Amino acid sequence: MSEFKSEVWDGMRIDWDVPIRMDDGLVLRADVFRPVKEGKYPALVSYGPYGKGLAFQEGYKTAWEIMARDNPDAVAGTSNKYQSWEVVDPEKWVPDGYACVRVDSRGAGRSPGYLNHNNVRENRDLHDCIEWAAAQPWCSGKVGLNGISYYASSQWRAAALQPPHLAAMCVWEGWVDYYRDSVRHGGIACTFRKHWQDMQVKTVQHGRGERGPRSRVTGELVCGPETLPEEELLKNRADMWEGVLKYPLIGPYYKERTGDLSRVKAPLLSAANWGGQGLHPRGNFEGFMRSASRQKWLEAHGGSHWAPFYTDYGVKLQKRFFDYFLKGVKNGWDRQPRVVLQVRHPGEKFVVRHEKEWPLKRTKWTRFYLDPSARSLVAKPPKSAGTITYDGLGDGVTFSSAPLEKATEITGPSALKLWVSSATTDADIFAVLRVFDPKGKEVVFQGALDPHTPIGQGWLRASNRKLDKKLSLPYRPYHAHDRKQPLKPGQAYELDVEIWPTCIVVPKGYRIALTIRGRDYEYEGEAATLSNMKNPMRGCGPFVHDDETDRPPAVFGGKVTLHMGPTRQSHVLLPVIPPKQ
């Protein structure tokens, strides 16, 4: 595989399996889609493990069918022959003078090597791929990063290495903090990575060869020409889930997999999904707020995890951003509002609104106190003390407001203050922000993956309650996760629970509710399925916390008691947004 094939197909010059040598000598493989006309073009680079030769339609069949049905513009204007999961469609970019570079990450697809996700080696690989692209005779020397999820989260880490030719980055639904955003919500292990590696990565690991898929375009084996025995494939990859269980607290393992935002200085567009609870939106908001870049923009939308990126809306937004920074087109992007919000209303209705900052400066931070007597959310602390006890692995308790007297917008991060005691040495808190219509039916949304997603969620393991005082804000508690503080059974402890950013305009007559549970939220209706997900989805998508190794019933199955009253003013702090003046 020392040479590569270059062909002209569908109005593009396509270089298949181009070798890219890393600084340790290993050769990665990339497909490059570029204009036929000789010239120098800016490059859009993506680097990830899903197999550059695997068609979106085949690897992610149900996701593709849903997108084609619900967002026909996402699949219009293209043959869709070159569509792959979570990366740009070259047929929509090459005609506008871009080169699209798709790199199979180390150990995946047609790139050999040891498969170890998000670590220092991968970060350096992407850095080197950026610099390789910039040096090619067809490149203008300006490189952008674009893509969803894996292809987005890797951008934070590569950008922190400050590759000289990185000119702009579009982080579309990409986590930044491996511990807090991805694998240990509030300290509680999320089983997503265990199933993700089984369903989406092992299936396209380099060396599957004849046991893997073939490219529907070239007929070549997606996972490389060699077919290795399963024992060798096992030796060639790290076990992600083993790492999550082995390291319950933050240390070097998590830090190398987390972007250092203080070193991210490239111009950036961070695009979040309100419904991405469990993986992405937190990172997009944190990345926008805390990155060192002076030129940064935030966009937040709803809908599925994959479709908005490919829609006319998404592609137009991305092109305006990259045209400005990679081509120098004077298209007014320098006057683009710093924040664009798709403000969410019941019924999957979204209204675009421009803002100047995040969180919004005009936010009226409003406390809703937990009243144990009526299990209600009220404007003032209850006058008498009370407690509510629930099963530590059970459905918990719901506190509800009175019907709202007027429409109320909630947009931003939320924070929950609790006093909790446990019959054991620990307890896991699952906080769910909810909305109910006048008939008592819950308002749910199409989330990033699950079609029945609640308004907002937060998590905290009580023994991980220690705060990082430098990074904590009144509306966004930030936990250190660097030491365990076991509970003394029966003793009440003060907890601050981060609830990830959300957006909803709650109509007049509806109720706001908060459920505090001992396990994941579950939608009462029918479960949903996706072909690339291992289990049916019941409201949280694949982002659940049900592993008994991490949550042994002997520790987390005891009775949990909430303490409320005038001296323990348990409350949820919500970002109520007044209308613009």
Side-chain angles (χ1 to χ4, degrees):
M1 290 176 62
S2 58
E3 298 299 320
F4 64 90
K5 186 185 293 186
S6 184
E7 302 175 311
V8 174
W9 286 9
D10 297 309
M12 299 182 289
R13 165 70 62 183
I14 308 175
D15 303 329
W16 302 107
D17 267 347
V18 182
I20 308 178
R21 187 172 297 277
M22 298 294 98
D23 62 2
D24 65 348
L26 186 119
V27 174
L28 303 180
R29 293 287 167 171
D31 293 340
V32 180
F33 304 81
R34 53 193 175 93
V36 176
K37 184 180 179 181
E38 293 293 324
K40 290 185 176 293
Y41 303 97
L44 293 178
V45 173
S46 57
Y47 169 103
Y50 295 134
K52 61 184 174 58
L54 180 63
F56 189 147
Q57 300 94 316
E58 293 178 8
Y60 299 83
K61 185 175 185 293
T62 49
W64 176 266
E65 291 169 350
I66 292 168
M67 180 170 75
R69 181 193 70 202
D70 296 346
N71 303 93
D73 59 322
V75 299
T78 168
S79 72
N80 294 304
K81 280 166 58 176
Y82 308 96
Q83 286 271 26
S84 289
W85 180 245
E86 298 187 337
V87 294
V88 300
D89 178 357
E91 287 187 280
K92 290 189 175 183
W93 288 85
V94 171
D96 286 341
Y98 285 92
C100 300
V101 181
R102 289 180 180 168
V103 186
D104 273 341
S105 59
R106 183 176 294 241
R110 294 180 69 83
S111 292
Y114 186 69
L115 188 63
N116 193 355
H117 301 287
N118 313 134
N119 66 346
V120 168
R121 181 65 261 174
E122 268 208 351
N123 303 339
R124 173 53 58 177
D125 284 353
L126 180 49
H127 169 284
D128 290 355
C129 288
I130 293 166
E131 293 305 298
W132 174 88
Q136 298 312 298
W138 43 259
C139 185
S140 66
K142 289 188 178 291
V143 177
L145 298 177
N146 199 11
I148 313 173
S149 191
Y150 199 104
Y151 302 96
S153 64
S154 59
Q155 295 180 38
W156 298 117
R157 299 185 301 280
L161 298 177
Q162 298 179 353
H165 291 91
L166 176 59
M169 50 194 284
C170 175
V171 186
W172 198 279
E173 299 188 34
W175 55 268
V176 64
D177 188 319
Y178 187 58
Y179 187 100
R180 297 174 180 86
D181 300 351
S182 178
V183 300
R184 279 196 168 269
H185 303 131
I188 311 168
C190 174
T191 58
F192 169 66
R193 287 296 172 194
K194 177 167 62 174
H195 303 316
W196 173 80
Q197 192 170 31
D198 284 344
M199 297 292 289
Q200 293 180 242
V201 180
K202 285 161 56 174
T203 51
V204 286
Q205 183 180 355
H206 180 80
R208 286 192 64 80
E210 294 286 354
R211 294 199 304 277
R214 285 187 179 271
S215 166
R216 66 191 299 173
V217 178
T218 66
E220 297 285 349
L221 292 166
V222 169
C223 304
E226 56 184 349
T227 303
L228 303 176
E230 288 293 344
E231 314 87 74
E232 194 165 342
L233 292 177
L234 185 63
K235 291 178 184 176
N236 285 348
R237 65 176 181 259
D239 185 332
M240 293 189 79
W241 182 240
E242 180 183 61
V244 174
L245 293 180
K246 186 177 179 180
Y247 302 109
L249 296 174
I250 288 180
Y253 178 81
Y254 291 107
K255 288 179 179 177
E256 72 174 283
R257 290 167 170 80
T258 295
D260 181 351
L261 294 173
S262 69
R263 292 184 52 79
V264 175
K265 297 183 178 181
L268 68 90
L269 170 61
S270 180
N273 187 326
W274 301 121
Q277 301 155 23
L279 189 57
H280 291 304
R282 183 184 187 278
N284 284 106
F285 291 107
E286 289 288 317
F288 173 76
M289 289 191 297
R290 295 171 50 216
S291 62
S293 175
R294 294 180 181 177
Q295 297 174 293
K296 53 185 177 181
W297 287 263
L298 174 69
E299 187 271 353
H301 54 267
S304 70
H305 172 53
W306 54 91
F309 180 80
Y310 296 99
T311 60
D312 291 345
Y313 165 82
V315 172
K316 181 180 178 182
L317 183 71
Q318 296 159 43
K319 281 185 179 175
R320 284 188 60 233
F321 172 72
F322 283 118
D323 281 354
Y324 182 80
F325 284 106
L326 300 189
K327 293 183 174 182
V329 176
K330 291 180 169 56
N331 57 12
W333 184 269
D334 52 327
R335 300 185 300 277
Q336 168 79 8
R338 289 289 169 158
V339 177
V340 176
L341 304 180
Q342 297 266 0
V343 179
R344 189 164 62 172
H345 298 250
E348 300 292 342
K349 179 185 175 185
F350 295 88
V351 179
V352 177
R353 191 174 72 215
H354 295 161
E355 299 286 353
K356 297 178 180 178
E357 71 286 307
W358 181 269
L360 307 189
K361 197 171 287 186
R362 68 182 185 279
T363 302
K364 183 180 179 183
W365 298 102
T366 305
R367 291 184 175 187
F368 289 78
Y369 294 92
L370 278 56
D371 185 341
S373 60
R375 300 195 175 190
S376 57
L377 296 175
V378 294
K380 295 181 179 180
K383 293 181 178 179
S384 58
T387 61
I388 295 178
T389 299
Y390 62 89
D391 184 345
L393 292 173
D395 293 336
V397 58
T398 297
F399 299 85
S400 178
S401 74
L404 297 182
E405 296 179 359
K406 61 180 180 180
T408 303
E409 179 183 338
I410 298 169
T411 297
S414 302
L416 174 60
K417 171 80 75 174
L418 293 176
W419 277 263
V420 171
S421 63
S422 172
T424 70
T425 57
D426 216 338
D428 284 344
I429 302 297
F430 295 75
V432 188
L433 195 60
R434 307 168 76 181
V435 167
F436 292 88
D437 71 13
K439 294 182 179 179
K441 183 180 179 181
E442 184 173 10
V443 177
V444 292
F445 287 88
Q446 169 64 59
L449 294 171
D450 198 306
H452 305 113
T453 301
I455 303 305
Q457 294 188 74
W459 309 262
L460 183 64
R461 176 156 288 173
S463 60
N464 286 44
R465 64 189 176 277
K466 178 188 170 187
L467 293 171
D468 181 327
K469 293 184 179 178
K470 288 184 179 179
L471 288 174
S472 284
L473 298 166
Y475 51 79
R476 198 268 279 117
Y478 198 98
H479 296 87
H481 297 299
D482 60 1
R483 61 183 285 231
K484 290 284 184 187
Q485 295 178 308
L487 310 183
K488 291 183 179 178
Q491 182 173 321
Y493 294 85
E494 184 177 355
L495 306 182
D496 294 279
V497 183
E498 175 188 7
I499 298 176
W500 287 14
T502 191
C503 174
I504 178 65
V505 177
V506 187
K508 177 183 177 180
Y510 284 51
R511 297 174 185 263
I512 298 169
L514 174 76
T515 299
I516 300 170
R517 298 168 58 88
R519 60 191 183 97
D520 290 297
Y521 166 89
E522 286 194 6
Y523 176 68
E524 292 182 356
E526 186 178 354
T529 57
L530 283 174
S531 59
N532 57 303
M533 294 298 151
K534 194 160 193 174
N535 301 310
M537 301 182 295
R538 295 183 169 84
C540 293
F543 308 111
V544 296
H545 311 76
D546 57 0
D547 185 77
E548 286 196 3
T549 306
D550 181 68
R551 305 190 69 213
V555 177
F556 295 96
K559 296 294 183 181
V560 175
T561 301
L562 307 177
H563 300 257
M564 296 149 281
T567 60
R568 289 171 170 160
Q569 297 180 8
S570 296
H571 64 271
V572 60
L573 182 70
L574 297 183
V576 176
I577 308 299
K580 280 186 173 182
Q581 297 299 317

